[in-house]
Amino acid sequence: MAFKKILVIDDNDDDLLMITECLVEADPSTEVITALDGEEGIRISIQERPEVVIIDTTLPGIDGFETCRRIRSGDAEVMIIVMTGQVNAVNAGKAREAGTDEYCVKTSDCEDLLNALRDVTSP
Amino acid sequence: MKRILVVDDEPDVIDLVKNRLEANRYKVISATDGDEGLIKAQKEKPDLVIMDILMPNMMGGEAVRQLRSDESTKHIPIIFLTAVTSRTPNGDGGVNVDGQFYTALPKPFKPEKLLFEIKRLIGDG
Amino acid sequence: MKQTKYTIFIIENNVSDRQFLKKILVEMEYDFAIKDFATGKEAMSEMNIRPPDLVLLNLYLPDQDGFFLLESFHQKGLVDLPVLLVSSFDKEDDKKKGFDRGAIDFINKPIVLEDVKARVACQLRFKRMMDDQKWANQKTNEGIKMLYKELENQNKKLLQLDHLKDDFVGSVSHELRTPLAIMRESISQIRDELFGEVPDQQKRYLDKALINMDRLRNIIDNLLDISKIEKGKLEIYKEKVDLNKLVEEIVSDFAVKAKAKGLILEGAVHGTAVYALVDPEKTIQVFNNLIGNALKFTEKGSIEITVQEEEDFIQCKVKDTGKGIAQKDLHKLFDKFQQVGRKHGPGEKGTGLGLAIAKGIIELHGGNIHVESTEGEGTAFFFSFQKYIEESGSCMSFRSALISAIKQFNQLSVIKVDIRNLKDVDAFKGRITKSLFRKSDRVIIEEQHVFILLPDTEKEMCSVVLSRIKGSHDADSLGECIVSFPIDGLTCDELINGLERTIEGENHEKNISGRR
């Protein structure tokens, strides 16, 4: 799962740090860029063209689902993973409908996120 | 002159207890672990043993057990002087070895208290 | 929306129908792959490689008939594969047979363009919805499993940390004691002039060192206590205690300190005993902590300690006329390491644990503590202890001694002596005290009986103790009996029953020898 550039959108600094560390540990060649809210995330995704965007569901301003929808509408190819601390089928459905490729829970070891990254790359 | 065996793995503790006891006219013999303490107790037959608990080779509790099982040493009174206990269930000053209750003084100890306990058990030097 | 691309199979032997169907599908605006087959066999072999998402199946193929194919799909486990049957449905029960074998809808021949479009679109939408729902459920299940795992891991980590903290407090406390002992005794020996004369001024500073080392030892003891309280491992051994007398003793201990500060220290003693069922050592600790605190924060006026017997409990109060505590700080007063509003002289700083320990001890006794304070006027601590009730008191002491015997896998023997016929009770009590050598031994004196609790003592040994106690001839008029745990019973009630049964009227000598 070699990605050159991954964008992580999360309003929690600690979580951002944790996720960045997990991603870099999984693949040291990956460049991880971060955004603290949806608007900033959308802007950066347009500028930086990451291969993968990881979006937390709860964000200040526009939420993770809407952020996902907007990024997807501008880019059919980018891989999107919606990540959440409150996992339930309604949210999963909403994420799917918003155009995500994967839906995973946020855990301290990022295991589910890394699984999701593996899944989006496999055909 | 009453003779007291001090068993402790800290030479400084032995040194200080020795000073204090000698100043009160007791004669002091010393050992730095339970093994040596046992041998010296059997050989010298002291009037009292002051015993640490956590020591290399043989712990104080085991040493006391062996002293008790030996006819020639079983009568010798014992005081534990240890860092392991601060307050025991019955106020300060108790260690239980095989159902026998022994006086125990916590480290750091007050010298007057140590001397009091010794005097209570074997009288003046 | 980026989603998996659907594949549709057209299985139709009629060339023109096949082309027509294909053309209709291509014209639809959905993005899907179309594969067309003239025979069932071809379709089945492709099906084995990658099953489609929708099938348009002619009912009458030259090699295999449609019903047979429908059954084969099922056998391959493709239960959810939506199949549209394409046929003129000449035979009356064709549709029923199709439905029975899992077909989902029909397209009538001759083929009508709008009909095909509508039915295919409907199936694809339905398929998409089902897939999304399935996906969402699957992701949610995986996520919940992952969260559960996370929770378990966190829990494990917390437990480890907790143990680590406990071990740390315990071992650090012990590690600190030996060096502290060496330092204290070194200074103490210099101070006591074991090595030659020491000028007074130097003595004063050596005293300061000693006082502060004792303070350090106090901190270590407190840390151990609080860690035991938090672990629920602080054991209390309740017995009958006269709180008034206890307070009197404590007050006399603090008298010098109070006088030095010019404070009036009053322990209200009305001469009457107020009996509580408490652990005496721990209760002293509570009073020491509270009175020590009051002394620290009171510059002038008085400190008053009262012990009041209420109907169901004993209410104690430690009240000072000190600086008081701000209302906003009151709620955190009993928290660990809280040094609320402290500004006092050097050498007076506490550990911030005293009140937390006091609260822990009081609560372990089943009582409670609260505080009332007015800034500038003073502070009062109110706390309660359980009353000693004559019938249950000895039983309670007995019970707590038994509990500790059980915990430590030790024996426990109890001697009950009837003192009703005794002429000189005080002399007898004196002999009991002299005959017991160990600090763990307990004597409970009631009006008619004396109980002697001997932990770690075999029943055989009790008669030796008893003969020491009896000593003189006057003891002959006594009635006594002995029970031991575990040989006479495993519960408090069993042992008490044993005591009650045997004492009445029997010859005590026979009693003892009979029990050997």
Side-chain angles (χ1 to χ4, degrees), chain C residues 52-83:
Chain C
D53 300 286
L54 181 67
V55 176
L56 305 185
L57 172 64
N58 184 10
L59 205 45
Y60 299 108
L61 294 167
D63 57 337
Q64 290 155 327
D65 89 352
F67 298 123
F68 175 77
L69 274 178
L70 275 173
E71 279 165 8
S72 323
F73 297 159
H74 265 252
Q75 278 159 16
K76 284 188 182 305
L78 301 167
V79 187
D80 294 330
L81 177 62
V83 179

mmCIF file of all heavy atoms in Angstrom, chain C residues 52-83:
data_model
loop_
_atom_site.group_PDB
_atom_site.id
_atom_site.type_symbol
_atom_site.label_atom_id
_atom_site.label_comp_id
_atom_site.label_asym_id
_atom_site.label_seq_id
_atom_site.Cartn_x
_atom_site.Cartn_y
_atom_site.Cartn_z
ATOM 1 N N PRO C 52 -22.044 -12.253 -12.303
ATOM 2 C CA PRO C 52 -22.551 -10.928 -12.642
ATOM 3 C C PRO C 52 -23.432 -10.384 -11.528
ATOM 4 O O PRO C 52 -23.635 -11.031 -10.523
ATOM 5 C CB PRO C 52 -23.391 -11.197 -13.884
ATOM 6 C CG PRO C 52 -23.906 -12.579 -13.656
ATOM 7 C CD PRO C 52 -22.845 -13.314 -12.907
ATOM 8 N N ASP C 53 -23.919 -9.162 -11.725
ATOM 9 C CA ASP C 53 -24.805 -8.555 -10.736
ATOM 10 C C ASP C 53 -26.265 -8.646 -11.167
ATOM 11 O O ASP C 53 -27.172 -8.428 -10.366
ATOM 12 C CB ASP C 53 -24.406 -7.095 -10.525
ATOM 13 C CG ASP C 53 -22.969 -6.996 -10.038
ATOM 14 O OD1 ASP C 53 -22.734 -7.312 -8.861
ATOM 15 O OD2 ASP C 53 -22.071 -6.647 -10.842
ATOM 16 N N LEU C 54 -26.486 -8.910 -12.455
ATOM 17 C CA LEU C 54 -27.855 -9.051 -12.950
ATOM 18 C C LEU C 54 -27.816 -9.960 -14.182
ATOM 19 O O LEU C 54 -26.856 -9.921 -14.948
ATOM 20 C CB LEU C 54 -28.427 -7.670 -13.330
ATOM 21 C CG LEU C 54 -29.866 -7.601 -13.840
ATOM 22 C CD1 LEU C 54 -30.856 -7.971 -12.748
ATOM 23 C CD2 LEU C 54 -30.180 -6.201 -14.372
ATOM 24 N N VAL C 55 -28.836 -10.800 -14.329
ATOM 25 C CA VAL C 55 -28.858 -11.711 -15.494
ATOM 26 C C VAL C 55 -30.188 -11.551 -16.226
ATOM 27 O O VAL C 55 -31.250 -11.520 -15.606
ATOM 28 C CB VAL C 55 -28.695 -13.185 -15.041
ATOM 29 C CG1 VAL C 55 -28.813 -14.123 -16.226
ATOM 30 C CG2 VAL C 55 -27.360 -13.387 -14.329
ATOM 31 N N LEU C 56 -30.102 -11.405 -17.551
ATOM 32 C CA LEU C 56 -31.304 -11.490 -18.392
ATOM 33 C C LEU C 56 -31.235 -12.859 -19.066
ATOM 34 O O LEU C 56 -30.305 -13.145 -19.796
ATOM 35 C CB LEU C 56 -31.305 -10.379 -19.448
ATOM 36 C CG LEU C 56 -31.169 -8.934 -18.932
ATOM 37 C CD1 LEU C 56 -31.301 -7.937 -20.096
ATOM 38 C CD2 LEU C 56 -32.207 -8.627 -17.883
ATOM 39 N N LEU C 57 -32.196 -13.708 -18.758
ATOM 40 C CA LEU C 57 -32.086 -15.110 -19.168
ATOM 41 C C LEU C 57 -33.297 -15.545 -19.997
ATOM 42 O O LEU C 57 -34.440 -15.440 -19.557
ATOM 43 C CB LEU C 57 -31.981 -15.971 -17.889
ATOM 44 C CG LEU C 57 -32.049 -17.489 -18.041
ATOM 45 C CD1 LEU C 57 -30.849 -18.010 -18.840
ATOM 46 C CD2 LEU C 57 -32.132 -18.158 -16.683
ATOM 47 N N ASN C 58 -32.987 -16.008 -21.202
ATOM 48 C CA ASN C 58 -34.054 -16.572 -22.023
ATOM 49 C C ASN C 58 -34.449 -17.928 -21.455
ATOM 50 O O ASN C 58 -33.600 -18.729 -21.092
ATOM 51 C CB ASN C 58 -33.559 -16.719 -23.482
ATOM 52 C CG ASN C 58 -34.682 -17.219 -24.370
ATOM 53 O OD1 ASN C 58 -35.855 -17.281 -23.951
ATOM 54 N ND2 ASN C 58 -34.331 -17.597 -25.589
ATOM 55 N N LEU C 59 -35.767 -18.170 -21.385
ATOM 56 C CA LEU C 59 -36.244 -19.383 -20.726
ATOM 57 C C LEU C 59 -35.958 -20.638 -21.553
ATOM 58 O O LEU C 59 -35.730 -21.711 -21.021
ATOM 59 C CB LEU C 59 -37.749 -19.251 -20.466
ATOM 60 C CG LEU C 59 -38.338 -20.057 -19.324
ATOM 61 C CD1 LEU C 59 -37.498 -19.984 -18.072
ATOM 62 C CD2 LEU C 59 -39.744 -19.566 -19.042
ATOM 63 N N TYR C 60 -35.939 -20.453 -22.867
ATOM 64 C CA TYR C 60 -35.752 -21.650 -23.713
ATOM 65 C C TYR C 60 -34.489 -21.548 -24.537
ATOM 66 O O TYR C 60 -34.446 -20.928 -25.582
ATOM 67 C CB TYR C 60 -36.976 -21.862 -24.621
ATOM 68 C CG TYR C 60 -38.217 -22.072 -23.778
ATOM 69 C CD1 TYR C 60 -39.207 -21.092 -23.693
ATOM 70 C CD2 TYR C 60 -38.370 -23.257 -23.035
ATOM 71 C CE1 TYR C 60 -40.320 -21.279 -22.911
ATOM 72 C CE2 TYR C 60 -39.493 -23.433 -22.241
ATOM 73 C CZ TYR C 60 -40.459 -22.454 -22.181
ATOM 74 O OH TYR C 60 -41.539 -22.631 -21.399
ATOM 75 N N LEU C 61 -33.442 -22.130 -24.011
ATOM 76 C CA LEU C 61 -32.168 -22.144 -24.711
ATOM 77 C C LEU C 61 -32.025 -23.489 -25.396
ATOM 78 O O LEU C 61 -32.598 -24.477 -24.932
ATOM 79 C CB LEU C 61 -31.023 -21.957 -23.711
ATOM 80 C CG LEU C 61 -30.972 -20.596 -23.004
ATOM 81 C CD1 LEU C 61 -30.024 -20.637 -21.835
ATOM 82 C CD2 LEU C 61 -30.565 -19.503 -23.996
ATOM 83 N N PRO C 62 -31.220 -23.539 -26.446
ATOM 84 C CA PRO C 62 -31.090 -24.820 -27.158
ATOM 85 C C PRO C 62 -30.409 -25.897 -26.312
ATOM 86 O O PRO C 62 -30.812 -27.054 -26.328
ATOM 87 C CB PRO C 62 -30.256 -24.473 -28.393
ATOM 88 C CG PRO C 62 -29.617 -23.157 -28.088
ATOM 89 C CD PRO C 62 -30.494 -22.449 -27.125
ATOM 90 N N ASP C 63 -29.378 -25.521 -25.524
ATOM 91 C CA ASP C 63 -28.654 -26.579 -24.794
ATOM 92 C C ASP C 63 -29.266 -26.908 -23.423
ATOM 93 O O ASP C 63 -29.442 -28.044 -23.044
ATOM 94 C CB ASP C 63 -27.167 -26.214 -24.639
ATOM 95 C CG ASP C 63 -26.953 -24.886 -23.927
ATOM 96 O OD1 ASP C 63 -27.882 -24.041 -23.926
ATOM 97 O OD2 ASP C 63 -25.872 -24.681 -23.345
ATOM 98 N N GLN C 64 -29.541 -25.877 -22.608
ATOM 99 C CA GLN C 64 -30.105 -26.134 -21.271
ATOM 100 C C GLN C 64 -31.313 -25.237 -21.132
ATOM 101 O O GLN C 64 -31.285 -24.089 -21.561
ATOM 102 C CB GLN C 64 -29.097 -25.751 -20.187
ATOM 103 C CG GLN C 64 -27.908 -26.684 -20.124
ATOM 104 C CD GLN C 64 -26.698 -25.998 -19.521
ATOM 105 O OE1 GLN C 64 -26.510 -24.803 -19.693
ATOM 106 N NE2 GLN C 64 -25.867 -26.788 -18.869
ATOM 107 N N ASP C 65 -32.343 -25.722 -20.469
ATOM 108 C CA ASP C 65 -33.468 -24.797 -20.342
ATOM 109 C C ASP C 65 -33.263 -23.865 -19.147
ATOM 110 O O ASP C 65 -32.448 -24.089 -18.253
ATOM 111 C CB ASP C 65 -34.804 -25.561 -20.332
ATOM 112 C CG ASP C 65 -35.268 -25.993 -18.958
ATOM 113 O OD1 ASP C 65 -34.487 -25.851 -17.992
ATOM 114 O OD2 ASP C 65 -36.411 -26.461 -18.836
ATOM 115 N N GLY C 66 -33.939 -22.720 -19.157
ATOM 116 C CA GLY C 66 -33.751 -21.648 -18.163
ATOM 117 C C GLY C 66 -33.993 -22.102 -16.738
ATOM 118 O O GLY C 66 -33.296 -21.666 -15.814
ATOM 119 N N PHE C 67 -34.991 -22.976 -16.574
ATOM 120 C CA PHE C 67 -35.276 -23.443 -15.214
ATOM 121 C C PHE C 67 -34.082 -24.182 -14.635
ATOM 122 O O PHE C 67 -33.731 -24.025 -13.467
ATOM 123 C CB PHE C 67 -36.504 -24.374 -15.213
ATOM 124 C CG PHE C 67 -37.748 -23.674 -15.685
ATOM 125 C CD1 PHE C 67 -38.467 -24.157 -16.767
ATOM 126 C CD2 PHE C 67 -38.193 -22.524 -15.027
ATOM 127 C CE1 PHE C 67 -39.606 -23.513 -17.197
ATOM 128 C CE2 PHE C 67 -39.343 -21.884 -15.467
ATOM 129 C CZ PHE C 67 -40.049 -22.360 -16.556
ATOM 130 N N PHE C 68 -33.457 -24.985 -15.510
ATOM 131 C CA PHE C 68 -32.292 -25.738 -15.067
ATOM 132 C C PHE C 68 -31.163 -24.783 -14.653
ATOM 133 O O PHE C 68 -30.510 -24.961 -13.625
ATOM 134 C CB PHE C 68 -31.820 -26.688 -16.182
ATOM 135 C CG PHE C 68 -30.555 -27.401 -15.845
ATOM 136 C CD1 PHE C 68 -30.580 -28.495 -14.965
ATOM 137 C CD2 PHE C 68 -29.325 -26.987 -16.365
ATOM 138 C CE1 PHE C 68 -29.419 -29.147 -14.637
ATOM 139 C CE2 PHE C 68 -28.160 -27.638 -16.021
ATOM 140 C CZ PHE C 68 -28.201 -28.727 -15.166
ATOM 141 N N LEU C 69 -30.968 -23.720 -15.450
ATOM 142 C CA LEU C 69 -29.918 -22.740 -15.126
ATOM 143 C C LEU C 69 -30.200 -22.045 -13.794
ATOM 144 O O LEU C 69 -29.308 -21.836 -12.964
ATOM 145 C CB LEU C 69 -29.812 -21.698 -16.238
ATOM 146 C CG LEU C 69 -28.915 -22.072 -17.420
ATOM 147 C CD1 LEU C 69 -28.935 -20.967 -18.465
ATOM 148 C CD2 LEU C 69 -27.477 -22.339 -16.982
ATOM 149 N N LEU C 70 -31.471 -21.668 -13.594
ATOM 150 C CA LEU C 70 -31.839 -21.025 -12.323
ATOM 151 C C LEU C 70 -31.446 -21.903 -11.135
ATOM 152 O O LEU C 70 -30.896 -21.435 -10.140
ATOM 153 C CB LEU C 70 -33.352 -20.788 -12.274
ATOM 154 C CG LEU C 70 -33.877 -19.508 -12.927
ATOM 155 C CD1 LEU C 70 -35.401 -19.519 -12.943
ATOM 156 C CD2 LEU C 70 -33.385 -18.271 -12.199
ATOM 157 N N GLU C 71 -31.733 -23.216 -11.301
ATOM 158 C CA GLU C 71 -31.374 -24.133 -10.217
ATOM 159 C C GLU C 71 -29.864 -24.222 -10.035
ATOM 160 O O GLU C 71 -29.364 -24.283 -8.903
ATOM 161 C CB GLU C 71 -31.967 -25.528 -10.493
ATOM 162 C CG GLU C 71 -33.428 -25.602 -10.106
ATOM 163 C CD GLU C 71 -34.138 -26.834 -10.683
ATOM 164 O OE1 GLU C 71 -33.455 -27.709 -11.258
ATOM 165 O OE2 GLU C 71 -35.370 -26.884 -10.563
ATOM 166 N N SER C 72 -29.123 -24.178 -11.147
ATOM 167 C CA SER C 72 -27.655 -24.250 -11.045
ATOM 168 C C SER C 72 -27.098 -23.035 -10.308
ATOM 169 O O SER C 72 -26.158 -23.151 -9.529
ATOM 170 C CB SER C 72 -26.986 -24.314 -12.419
ATOM 171 O OG SER C 72 -27.739 -25.071 -13.298
ATOM 172 N N PHE C 73 -27.707 -21.838 -10.589
ATOM 173 C CA PHE C 73 -27.242 -20.633 -9.872
ATOM 174 C C PHE C 73 -27.365 -20.854 -8.364
ATOM 175 O O PHE C 73 -26.461 -20.546 -7.595
ATOM 176 C CB PHE C 73 -28.064 -19.392 -10.250
ATOM 177 C CG PHE C 73 -27.959 -18.981 -11.697
ATOM 178 C CD1 PHE C 73 -28.940 -18.191 -12.284
ATOM 179 C CD2 PHE C 73 -26.880 -19.392 -12.484
ATOM 180 C CE1 PHE C 73 -28.845 -17.804 -13.601
ATOM 181 C CE2 PHE C 73 -26.791 -19.008 -13.807
ATOM 182 C CZ PHE C 73 -27.772 -18.219 -14.376
ATOM 183 N N HIS C 74 -28.499 -21.383 -7.974
ATOM 184 C CA HIS C 74 -28.729 -21.623 -6.546
ATOM 185 C C HIS C 74 -27.718 -22.577 -5.971
ATOM 186 O O HIS C 74 -27.196 -22.373 -4.883
ATOM 187 C CB HIS C 74 -30.150 -22.172 -6.328
ATOM 188 C CG HIS C 74 -31.112 -21.084 -5.995
ATOM 189 N ND1 HIS C 74 -31.631 -20.917 -4.737
ATOM 190 C CD2 HIS C 74 -31.608 -20.084 -6.747
ATOM 191 C CE1 HIS C 74 -32.423 -19.855 -4.736
ATOM 192 N NE2 HIS C 74 -32.437 -19.336 -5.958
ATOM 193 N N GLN C 75 -27.458 -23.655 -6.774
ATOM 194 C CA GLN C 75 -26.506 -24.648 -6.289
ATOM 195 C C GLN C 75 -25.110 -24.062 -6.129
ATOM 196 O O GLN C 75 -24.335 -24.488 -5.289
ATOM 197 C CB GLN C 75 -26.457 -25.846 -7.241
ATOM 198 C CG GLN C 75 -27.592 -26.835 -6.974
ATOM 199 C CD GLN C 75 -27.881 -27.733 -8.161
ATOM 200 O OE1 GLN C 75 -27.068 -27.835 -9.084
ATOM 201 N NE2 GLN C 75 -29.032 -28.385 -8.146
ATOM 202 N N LYS C 76 -24.814 -23.052 -6.938
ATOM 203 C CA LYS C 76 -23.493 -22.413 -6.835
ATOM 204 C C LYS C 76 -23.450 -21.388 -5.704
ATOM 205 O O LYS C 76 -22.453 -20.706 -5.503
ATOM 206 C CB LYS C 76 -23.143 -21.706 -8.157
ATOM 207 C CG LYS C 76 -22.725 -22.666 -9.230
ATOM 208 C CD LYS C 76 -22.214 -21.913 -10.428
ATOM 209 C CE LYS C 76 -21.839 -22.855 -11.556
ATOM 210 N NZ LYS C 76 -20.876 -23.889 -11.146
ATOM 211 N N GLY C 77 -24.559 -21.263 -5.025
ATOM 212 C CA GLY C 77 -24.584 -20.332 -3.901
ATOM 213 C C GLY C 77 -24.942 -18.913 -4.287
ATOM 214 O O GLY C 77 -24.876 -17.996 -3.480
ATOM 215 N N LEU C 78 -25.331 -18.709 -5.539
ATOM 216 C CA LEU C 78 -25.685 -17.358 -5.988
ATOM 217 C C LEU C 78 -27.155 -17.095 -5.686
ATOM 218 O O LEU C 78 -27.953 -16.823 -6.564
ATOM 219 C CB LEU C 78 -25.416 -17.217 -7.498
ATOM 220 C CG LEU C 78 -23.957 -17.472 -7.892
ATOM 221 C CD1 LEU C 78 -23.829 -17.640 -9.402
ATOM 222 C CD2 LEU C 78 -23.081 -16.330 -7.434
ATOM 223 N N VAL C 79 -27.486 -17.155 -4.414
ATOM 224 C CA VAL C 79 -28.886 -17.078 -4.008
ATOM 225 C C VAL C 79 -29.464 -15.683 -4.266
ATOM 226 O O VAL C 79 -30.623 -15.525 -4.622
ATOM 227 C CB VAL C 79 -29.012 -17.416 -2.497
ATOM 228 C CG1 VAL C 79 -30.467 -17.523 -2.084
ATOM 229 C CG2 VAL C 79 -28.272 -18.707 -2.188
ATOM 230 N N ASP C 80 -28.600 -14.667 -4.076
ATOM 231 C CA ASP C 80 -29.093 -13.291 -4.213
ATOM 232 C C ASP C 80 -28.985 -12.733 -5.629
ATOM 233 O O ASP C 80 -29.320 -11.581 -5.860
ATOM 234 C CB ASP C 80 -28.309 -12.377 -3.266
ATOM 235 C CG ASP C 80 -28.600 -12.715 -1.810
ATOM 236 O OD1 ASP C 80 -29.727 -13.181 -1.549
ATOM 237 O OD2 ASP C 80 -27.707 -12.527 -0.966
ATOM 238 N N LEU C 81 -28.507 -13.547 -6.550
ATOM 239 C CA LEU C 81 -28.323 -13.039 -7.920
ATOM 240 C C LEU C 81 -29.679 -12.763 -8.561
ATOM 241 O O LEU C 81 -30.508 -13.646 -8.702
ATOM 242 C CB LEU C 81 -27.557 -14.098 -8.744
ATOM 243 C CG LEU C 81 -27.330 -13.788 -10.213
ATOM 244 C CD1 LEU C 81 -26.481 -12.541 -10.396
ATOM 245 C CD2 LEU C 81 -26.686 -14.972 -10.918
ATOM 246 N N PRO C 82 -29.944 -11.495 -8.925
ATOM 247 C CA PRO C 82 -31.237 -11.184 -9.539
ATOM 248 C C PRO C 82 -31.283 -11.661 -11.009
ATOM 249 O O PRO C 82 -30.371 -11.356 -11.782
ATOM 250 C CB PRO C 82 -31.341 -9.663 -9.444
ATOM 251 C CG PRO C 82 -29.986 -9.162 -9.095
ATOM 252 C CD PRO C 82 -29.104 -10.303 -8.726
ATOM 253 N N VAL C 83 -32.305 -12.419 -11.326
ATOM 254 C CA VAL C 83 -32.444 -12.945 -12.700
ATOM 255 C C VAL C 83 -33.786 -12.486 -13.287
ATOM 256 O O VAL C 83 -34.834 -12.652 -12.659
ATOM 257 C CB VAL C 83 -32.388 -14.492 -12.717
ATOM 258 C CG1 VAL C 83 -32.570 -15.022 -14.144
ATOM 259 C CG2 VAL C 83 -31.068 -14.988 -12.124
#
